Amino acid sequence: MAPSKDEDMTEEAPGRDEFNSSLSSFAEERGITIDFQARVNTKYIDLYKLWNLVTSRGGYDALSAEKLAWRGICNEFHLGTANAAAYAFSMKTLYYKNLVAYEIKTIHHQEPPPVSILEKVTAKGGDVLGRTIENFQPPQSKPELANGATDSEDEEAKTPKEEKMDIDDPSSGGGRVTRGLRQAPAPRQLFQPDVSAPRQTRHSSSQQSPQPAAASHTGYNYAASSNPNSASFAIQNYEPKAPTTLMLRPLLTPSQNLALFKDKLRLAREARRAELGLASPSTKGMMKPGAGFEGPNIYVRTLQGLRSQVPEEQDYALHHLVKISHERGDKYKFEAFPNLAEGLIEYVLGISSLFYDVKWDIDFSEDRHEFNTLDGINGTPDILQKIQCLKRIEAADELEPGEFAHKLTKTHEAALTIRNLSLLEDNATYLSELPQIRDFLSIALNLPSCPAVAEMKFYALEIAEQITRFWQMEGDDPLYQSLLAQIGEAKDRGAMLIALRCVSRISMSREEPNYLRGVPVSVVRQMCEWLLLDDDELIGACLDFFYQYTAIPENLAFLLSHTDEIPLSSFLAQLARLLQHNASTQYTKIVAVRPIAVTAASNIPNIPEDLLQQFLEFDEPDRSNHWLRAAFEEDPDSHITQIDLWQAYQKRFTDHATPQTPLLQAADFIKNVSTIFAGANAQVVQGTTPRFIIKGIRYRHAPMDPKGRVYNRCLWKAPGEEQCSGFFLKPKSMFDHIVSSHIGVGRTGGGAWDLKPNGGAIRLPHDCFWADCLHFSRCNSRGPTAFELGMHIKTHLPDQTKKATLRQKHNRTPATQTLLPGQAINGKINPSGGPQIDPKQGREASYHYYKYESTADLQGNADGLPLPSALVLRMIAKNMPKAAALLRPDDRDAFCKESTESLFAPLRDRFVRIMAYNKAMAPYISDVLGHVDKWTAL
């Protein structure tokens, strides 16, 4: 929307700046605050326009004395007529608070009254010119009525005061306080005299005429002085009005108001000159040069300010360039703003002037003869020699003058701008084509060692990290030597890390290789030692360097020729260690044969005598609890009838019951089952004959002692005999049982086995009848001897030695188990009707696959520190013949074989193990061993 006429006039009114400056100075001297953004009815009021309008009409007092004059002022600002009175008073107050004192001082040339009686009080009234402390009367509130209320318009909005009791007039003689007197009627009520006989007091009975009552319903008299409507009350409370000060206006004469008469004379002369046609043309309303144009944007503004060589403009430009490079660095390109990069580089070169007695100049001509001149075309190859010849400015390290600190801060801002903008690929390419940027980096990295230059060195290193990939550097390059010096100093981890990255990235974006020539032995040895640190970031930077360094056969030959200073064997050992950096062990379980489901036993297991004796040591109900745990186990799909469970309990402990340890009652015993087994509960199966069962338990195949150890069953079953029902906890007890009970061998008096009792021979079984083993019959051997049979029986016993876990690691079943019927074993099917198996001994056959994996990406490829370590090892093994040819061209093969065996032979076992257990690293280790085997196999 186009601006209004008033707004245009306000913006272009002449003398505004002088008025605002003069008014601000006056307000500061007087101690008041001027509101230049004042508003009335949300509309901005221009104080300069208001000043001109009021003073043109005679000033504040003249305008206040004129009726509706302030409303006319409001009309000039187009405030509207909806609430004209309020707008007029607001406009008057605005002028009163901000400009009336300035008017008295500048227009009337008088000293304005103090702030306490001018700006601090209301704007009501006028006569501010004649106001003094002696004659000024502050506005007072209206007098209160008798009941405490004021006679104002908002009487109903105020809180009424508590009413007080009236007291009789002392002149009445009684002096008695009357209670409950009614108030006088309001003035608008008509007087109605009381026609009834008034109540007379003792002291006023002689009075003939009654006093007028306040209302027709009361007969009490009261003193006239307490009646606000009586004449006596008005006389007693009369107060004369305050004296009114006579307003005197001084006569305006040249001696009293010289400035006013000068202005009048100036206006008269200008009017006369206009009549004669000698006045200069008026410029009012004319568009001045530059008006209406926005001017250059911030980008061009900062560029011009930087190149202007004006310190204030350069400070402004650098302040905004830092912000622009941080927020809009992805859009701000050097190519779009010519001379921006050159200007920034020229500015940051000024940091040398803070520490050395020099001021660098960039010269683009061919003939250069001055010491402080830098070659702007090809760079300065002798920049390091010039820096060494500079004279240091003596200054205290801890004290920085204000000018020094300001210059240093602005130089840091310029360097930070270059650093931020160099992160963009296009800007980095542009900077790499400027020769002076290499000179700046060399100068910045060789500044004196002090805390003030640490920030500048970091900026220089970060800039170099972005642009060294576009350069090819030889060993005598000043910047290359400066970067190696930063690595060799080893004072700051951050500086070393960035310098390593800069060196490793040389020629990365070029087709030429990074030769990395001239690296000092101390720097190489130092980086070998850094591989021992627990710093993944620093180790990664070192490995990147060594990968490019060993890719050049000349560098590898340099390492082989300095083995007394650089321990290569220790270096390779650290690389081999890093192959398994952050590796984790992983076990994968592979099931060969799934476990056999254990079927429920048909009968309750026989409790061994030794276990029974343990139960008898307890009283009920502990005895039955142990027996239940030993003979039964939980199974949610099985059940046992309550009568069978009760009869089994009676059968086992009836012979051992005593009056002191009687058996439990049937109900208590059945209830106790649910206590022992949480999943068991008593149920009734409905049918022709209801069955009472215990759901959730079944018989064990073998009893269990209170410590949780399961007994082993004797599986001996000779032809024509019943299955042995004995259970034994220890293998020795079972062996003694088989030898004595089933084989029939006794012991001598000394405890040894008696194989020839009474001088005769014993009759041994002709075969092993452990679970239908028939070992000797299947082998078509003769009858076994006692020793052979005894040794064979031990193979069926459970293994409880320390090596039991190792021996049974890959076994499907314990040694006591025979083949399963109908199962495929080694490609052969066991015929049906073959030997049976105790189902409790079936279990799964499984093994674990062991892996030792290092860091890998989502595709399973090697990642992290192990990958560059393997690449460095492979590069060393690959370039070993070329390095040997450079060192010993005559006996290259012998030297290569000797060096390869001495370096890689101690690591072969580790390489093989990593290749076997680390799938991601296996291809790289295989390449390393392939190069090594070419020479070690000779």
Side-chain angles (χ1 to χ4, degrees):
M1 183 177 69
S4 63
K5 181 178 178 180
D6 293 338
E7 293 176 352
D8 292 341
M9 184 186 69
T10 301
E11 294 178 358
E12 300 177 3
R16 176 185 303 280
D17 295 337
E18 294 80 0
F19 170 76
N20 292 340
S21 176
S22 175
L23 180 60
S24 300
S25 302
F26 174 77
E28 184 177 358
E29 294 178 1
R30 185 167 175 80
I32 60 176
T33 303
I34 303 300
D35 186 8
F36 286 98
Q37 302 296 327
R39 293 180 179 273
V40 174
N41 191 24
T42 69
K43 220 175 175 185
Y44 168 69
I45 303 301
D46 183 13
L47 295 183
Y48 183 59
K49 180 179 178 181
L50 178 62
W51 165 265
N52 292 331
L53 291 174
V54 175
T55 55
S56 63
R57 298 188 182 185
Y60 177 82
D61 285 346
L63 206 63
S64 299
E66 184 180 350
K67 188 175 182 180
L68 302 179
W70 286 104
R71 294 194 183 188
I73 298 295
C74 293
N75 293 335
E76 296 292 335
F77 290 92
H78 307 287
L79 297 180
T81 59
N83 197 3
Y87 297 158
F89 184 75
S90 298
M91 186 68 70
K92 179 181 179 181
T93 302
L94 176 63
Y95 186 90
Y96 179 82
K97 296 291 185 182
N98 294 279
L99 300 173
V100 70
Y102 183 71
E103 175 192 333
I104 297 174
K105 181 69 175 179
T106 58
I107 300 300
H108 305 289
H109 301 285
Q110 299 180 11
E111 286 298 326
V115 178
S116 58
I117 64 174
L118 191 64
E119 286 89 349
K120 296 296 184 180
V121 297
T122 180
K124 292 182 178 180
D127 191 23
V128 294
L129 290 175
R131 183 178 299 180
T132 61
I133 298 179
E134 292 77 11
N135 62 17
F136 176 72
Q137 293 293 334
Q140 298 180 358
S141 60
K142 296 182 179 182
E144 296 183 353
L145 300 179
N147 59 353
T150 60
D151 191 15
S152 61
E153 296 179 356
D154 56 349
E155 179 180 358
E156 297 179 357
K158 294 186 178 180
T159 304
K161 296 184 178 181
E162 182 180 1
E163 297 181 356
K164 300 181 179 179
M165 294 188 303
D166 293 339
I167 304 176
D168 290 343
D169 188 8
S171 61
S172 62
R176 181 173 60 90
V177 178
T178 60
R179 294 172 295 174
L181 297 180
R182 295 176 176 85
Q183 298 296 327
R188 62 178 177 270
Q189 295 181 1
L190 297 178
F191 173 72
Q192 296 180 359
D194 188 11
V195 296
S196 61
R199 180 181 178 181
Q200 301 293 333
T201 60
R202 291 180 298 175
H203 300 282
S204 60
S205 58
S206 59
Q207 295 180 359
Q208 299 297 326
S209 61
Q211 296 292 333
S216 61
H217 57 273
T218 179
Y220 291 96
N221 295 329
Y222 50 88
S225 61
S226 63
N227 184 6
N229 298 323
S230 63
S232 60
F233 180 85
I235 294 173
Q236 292 179 2
N237 293 276
Y238 171 76
E239 292 183 1
K241 294 183 178 181
T244 303
T245 304
L246 182 62
M247 296 180 58
L248 300 177
R249 295 185 179 182
L251 182 62
L252 295 180
T253 61
S255 61
Q256 294 179 353
N257 197 341
L258 181 62
L260 178 61
F261 281 89
K262 287 183 178 181
D263 292 341
K264 291 182 177 181
L265 292 176
R266 178 179 57 79
L267 294 176
R269 285 195 298 268
E270 291 179 356
R272 181 59 179 170
R273 289 175 61 85
E275 292 177 0
L276 299 176
L278 301 177
S280 59
S282 176
T283 59
K284 184 176 182 181
M286 181 184 299
M287 180 176 291
K288 297 180 181 179
F293 298 97
E294 296 181 358
N297 56 29
I298 186 62
Y299 303 106
V300 179
R301 175 75 171 81
T302 54
L303 174 60
Q304 299 301 328
L306 181 65
R307 303 292 295 176
S308 66
Q309 301 299 325
V310 179
E312 293 78 5
E313 291 293 332
Q314 290 180 330
D315 294 348
Y316 171 86
L318 292 173
H319 172 76
H320 288 278
L321 281 173
V322 171
K323 187 176 182 181
I324 293 172
S325 64
H326 175 67
E327 298 177 354
R328 304 290 295 173
D330 56 336
K331 304 293 184 182
Y332 205 49
K333 297 183 179 181
F334 287 129
E335 294 180 353
F337 301 93
N339 296 326
L340 175 60
E342 292 81 352
L344 289 172
I345 296 173
E346 183 179 353
Y347 192 90
V348 294
L349 286 174
I351 193 172
S352 298
S353 303
L354 301 177
F355 302 95
Y356 298 108
D357 188 13
V358 65
K359 181 180 180 181
W360 300 108
D361 293 329
I362 302 176
D363 189 5
F364 294 92
S365 61
E366 294 294 338
D367 47 347
R368 294 176 291 102
H369 305 288
E370 297 183 5
F371 175 80
N372 62 336
T373 302
L374 302 178
D375 188 356
I377 300 177
N378 302 314
T380 309
D382 58 342
I383 185 65
L384 295 182
Q385 290 76 9
K386 290 186 176 182
I387 294 175
Q388 293 176 358
C389 298
L390 294 177
K391 182 180 179 181
R392 175 73 186 275
I393 298 177
E394 298 296 335
D397 294 339
E398 299 180 357
L399 298 177
E400 295 181 357
E403 183 180 357
F404 176 90
H406 177 75
K407 181 65 176 178
L408 183 64
T409 301
K410 292 303 174 182
T411 309
H412 286 165
E413 290 180 356
L416 179 58
T417 302
I418 300 176
R419 179 260 180 195
N420 292 341
L421 295 178
S422 65
L423 298 178
L424 190 63
E425 182 74 15
D426 296 341
N427 289 337
T429 306
Y430 184 90
L431 287 174
S432 65
E433 299 174 356
L434 300 178
Q436 55 266 38
I437 190 66
R438 301 180 70 164
D439 294 339
F440 158 66
L441 295 177
S442 300
I443 293 172
L445 295 179
N446 289 276
L447 289 172
S449 179
C450 62
V453 301
E455 185 176 354
M456 177 59 71
K457 287 186 176 181
F458 268 98
Y459 291 153
L461 288 172
E462 290 177 348
I463 295 170
E465 183 181 0
Q466 301 299 325
I467 60 180
T468 52
R469 52 197 172 100
F470 301 102
W471 293 334
Q472 175 68 32
M473 295 185 181
E474 299 297 333
D476 57 348
D477 189 277
L479 179 57
Y480 179 71
Q481 295 179 1
S482 301
L483 292 174
L484 293 178
Q486 291 295 321
I487 300 174
E489 290 179 0
K491 294 182 179 180
D492 189 288
R493 174 188 174 276
M496 294 185 303
L497 189 60
I498 302 177
L500 270 173
R501 293 173 180 170
C502 294
V503 173
S504 301
R505 296 184 181 185
I506 295 175
S507 301
M508 184 180 294
S509 299
R510 299 172 63 94
E511 296 181 358
E512 299 86 353
N514 183 13
Y515 291 101
L516 293 177
R517 297 189 179 99
V519 180
V521 177
S522 59
V523 175
V524 178
R525 183 178 63 252
Q526 197 171 35
M527 283 190 284
C528 292
E529 295 173 354
W530 288 344
L531 296 179
L532 299 172
L533 300 176
D534 186 15
D535 190 339
D536 293 356
E537 192 175 10
L538 183 58
I539 293 175
C542 294
L543 292 176
D544 292 341
F545 170 83
F546 280 118
Y547 176 71
Q548 298 192 41
Y549 187 76
T550 56
I552 308 301
E554 292 81 358
N555 296 334
L556 183 57
F558 178 80
L559 295 178
L560 292 174
S561 61
H562 292 80
T563 53
D564 53 341
E565 301 179 56
I566 304 174
L568 284 182
S569 58
S570 176
F571 171 61
L572 265 65
Q574 293 302 322
L575 294 177
R577 178 185 64 85
L578 292 174
L579 292 175
Q580 293 297 93
H581 180 73
N582 286 340
S584 58
T585 305
Q586 300 178 5
Y587 294 95
T588 303
K589 181 179 179 181
I590 299 178
V591 179
V593 180
R594 296 191 176 277
I596 303 171
V598 180
T599 58
S602 57
N603 298 315
I604 187 171
N606 185 28
I607 302 299
E609 188 63 27
D610 58 339
L611 184 58
L612 180 61
Q613 293 301 323
Q614 295 182 34
F615 295 163
L616 295 177
E617 295 178 358
F618 297 97
D619 296 334
E620 293 293 352
D622 294 336
R623 180 175 62 186
S624 61
N625 292 347
H626 287 294
W627 177 75
L628 288 171
R629 293 191 184 98
F632 301 90
E633 63 183 356
E634 291 192 46
D635 185 1
D637 299 329
S638 302
H639 66 274
I640 300 175
T641 60
Q642 298 182 14
I643 188 63
D644 292 342
L645 185 62
W646 170 248
Q647 289 176 355
Y649 169 69
Q650 284 185 322
K651 181 180 179 181
R652 173 53 58 189
F653 295 106
T654 298
D655 297 339
H656 305 284
T658 62
Q660 290 76 20
T661 58
L663 298 180
L664 291 175
Q665 297 296 324
D668 297 336
F669 175 75
I670 297 301
K671 185 185 301 183
N672 203 30
V673 175
S674 300
T675 304
I676 301 302
F677 302 103
N681 56 82
Q683 296 182 5
V684 179
V685 180
Q686 300 296 336
T688 305
T689 303
R691 298 174 58 222
F692 296 88
I693 64 172
I694 300 293
K695 182 70 174 179
I697 63 173
R698 70 178 182 180
Y699 300 124
R700 284 185 177 273
H701 290 278
M704 182 181 66
D705 69 348
K707 294 182 179 180
R709 297 175 295 181
V710 180
Y711 280 70
N712 296 285
R713 181 179 182 181
C714 178
L715 301 180
W716 190 275
K717 184 179 182 300
E721 298 180 1
E722 295 183 359
Q723 173 72 48
C724 179
S725 60
F727 291 92
F728 302 91
L729 185 61
K730 298 180 180 180
K732 184 178 182 304
S733 302
M734 182 176 290
F735 181 77
D736 295 344
H737 162 72
I738 295 173
V739 173
S740 60
S741 300
H742 299 299
I743 297 178
V745 178
R747 292 184 181 272
T748 63
W753 293 108
D754 188 5
L755 301 178
K756 295 182 179 181
N758 300 326
I762 60 174
R763 183 180 178 181
L764 298 174
H766 63 276
D767 207 340
C768 175
F769 299 109
W770 179 275
D772 297 334
C773 174
L774 305 177
H775 170 73
F776 297 98
S777 298
R778 294 178 182 180
C779 296
N780 298 323
S781 62
R782 58 178 176 79
T785 63
F787 178 78
E788 291 175 346
L789 186 58
M791 291 296 101
H792 173 73
I793 289 173
K794 287 185 178 181
T795 62
H796 296 298
L797 301 180
D799 190 1
Q800 294 184 351
T801 61
K802 295 181 179 179
K803 297 183 179 181
T805 304
L806 180 62
R807 291 169 180 170
Q808 298 182 10
K809 182 177 181 180
H810 302 291
N811 292 345
R812 180 177 180 274
T813 59
T816 55
Q817 180 175 322
T818 57
L819 297 178
L820 292 175
Q823 296 290 331
I825 305 297
N826 296 328
K828 297 181 181 180
I829 303 298
N830 191 47
S832 59
Q836 299 296 321
I837 178 178
D838 186 357
K840 71 181 180 59
Q841 294 179 344
R843 65 180 184 181
E844 70 178 16
S846 63
Y847 61 92
H848 290 83
Y849 179 70
Y850 167 76
K851 294 189 298 183
Y852 198 56
E853 294 285 355
S854 57
T855 307
D857 57 12
L858 297 178
Q859 287 74 28
N861 301 321
D863 196 6
L865 295 182
L867 178 59
S869 302
L871 295 178
V872 174
L873 286 170
R874 187 177 66 178
M875 194 64 69
I876 294 175
K878 178 181 178 181
N879 291 333
M880 187 67 72
K882 298 179 181 179
L886 294 174
L887 293 176
R888 297 184 183 179
D890 299 334
D891 56 345
R892 184 201 70 160
D893 295 347
F895 180 74
C896 182
K897 179 179 180 181
E898 178 185 356
S899 300
T900 303
E901 288 182 348
S902 62
L903 294 176
F904 289 95
L907 307 174
R908 174 176 290 274
D909 294 341
R910 181 178 293 182
F911 290 160
V912 173
R913 181 175 181 272
I914 294 173
M915 189 168 56
Y917 291 105
N918 197 330
K919 181 180 179 181
M921 297 299 300
Y924 303 97
I925 302 301
S926 178
D927 293 343
V928 174
L929 293 177
H931 292 294
V932 172
D933 291 342
K934 290 180 181 179
W935 299 99
T936 56
L938 295 177

